Amino acid sequence: YSYDIVLSSLHFVKGAKEYHLIDYRQVDYRPVLEEYFKELLRQAKQNLFDSLAHLDYPTRYIRMHGVACSLKPFADLIDEILKVLVQNGKALEINTSGLSACFHTTLPGYDVIKRFRDLGGELVTVGSDAHCTASLGGGLEEGIALAHKAGFSYVTMFQRREPVLLKIE
């Protein structure tokens, strides 16, 4: 197929519930995230995509249940994922859908975006993850500003699966 971009977007691990169907008030989120990040690392190593979407996707639903959630216990695993992206010349998506949700942050947040840059990441995409026309393009300016704050001079779009760099002005 002649796609412009292929996203890696993990919504559940085989044999497990979809992340948005889990009641995190009754389930410890830590084993869920550990399994999620391990699968994300496996997919990153397969190298079959252009941009890794919403790296910390399950945290959206953990937070929506009012559960405080820390990524610190998973820092080494997240670093491994980010290093594979760097080695393979892949982009990290700054997903802005969380800006309008109850937790007011991108997926991933600034710390992970900055860490990706510090590890040598050069390509970031910014996406609104819109599921309706009213949300289309929501938060893109904030996402681009966050990329710039993290040290990126460009955001990336893809044409025929080739990166096109757009200078942040």
Side-chain angles (χ1 to χ4, degrees):
Y1 299 100
S2 60
Y3 296 121
D4 281 323
I5 186 171
V6 175
L7 294 174
S8 175
S9 176
L10 180 61
H11 288 243
F12 66 96
V13 175
K14 188 177 180 178
K17 273 189 175 180
E18 292 189 35
Y19 299 111
H20 72 281
L21 298 175
I22 298 172
D23 184 349
Y24 294 98
R25 293 167 296 195
Q26 297 179 15
V27 173
D28 183 356
Y29 74 84
R30 290 169 292 207
V32 173
L33 282 182
E34 183 172 357
E35 180 180 46
Y36 171 81
F37 288 127
K38 285 180 178 178
E39 176 61 21
L40 211 56
L41 177 59
R42 189 186 71 73
Q43 288 186 9
K45 289 177 178 179
Q46 286 181 315
N47 198 23
L48 298 173
F49 60 90
D50 303 309
S51 184
L52 177 62
H54 47 56
L55 179 134
D56 55 353
Y57 173 76
T59 65
R60 171 188 298 176
Y61 301 104
I62 296 166
R63 292 178 179 137
M64 282 182 178
H65 279 104
V67 175
C69 170
S70 173
L71 293 179
K72 287 182 183 175
F74 311 101
D76 290 342
L77 202 44
I78 291 169
D79 269 6
E80 282 188 69
I81 295 165
L82 297 176
K83 288 174 184 176
V84 170
L85 296 180
V86 170
Q87 286 173 332
N88 293 336
K90 301 301 179 189
L92 176 68
E93 180 201 49
I94 301 172
N95 185 300
T96 63
S97 65
L99 293 172
S100 62
C102 60
F103 47 94
H104 308 292
T105 185
T106 57
L107 300 169
Y110 174 76
D111 291 343
V112 173
I113 297 164
K114 176 72 170 125
R115 182 67 179 148
F116 178 60
R117 183 69 186 126
D118 291 346
L119 291 171
E122 296 181 2
L123 305 177
V124 288
T125 57
V126 181
S128 61
D129 202 354
H131 291 235
C132 64
T133 54
S135 300
L136 190 62
L140 294 186
E141 288 181 15
E142 293 95 330
I144 292 168
L146 198 60
H148 192 258
K149 179 181 174 185
F152 291 92
S153 300
Y154 299 88
V155 293
T156 308
M157 63 175 272
F158 285 82
Q159 291 181 334
R160 295 188 179 106
R161 300 203 59 205
E162 291 296 322
V164 177
L165 301 179
L166 305 170
K167 186 151 182 62
I168 298 173
E169 309 247 358

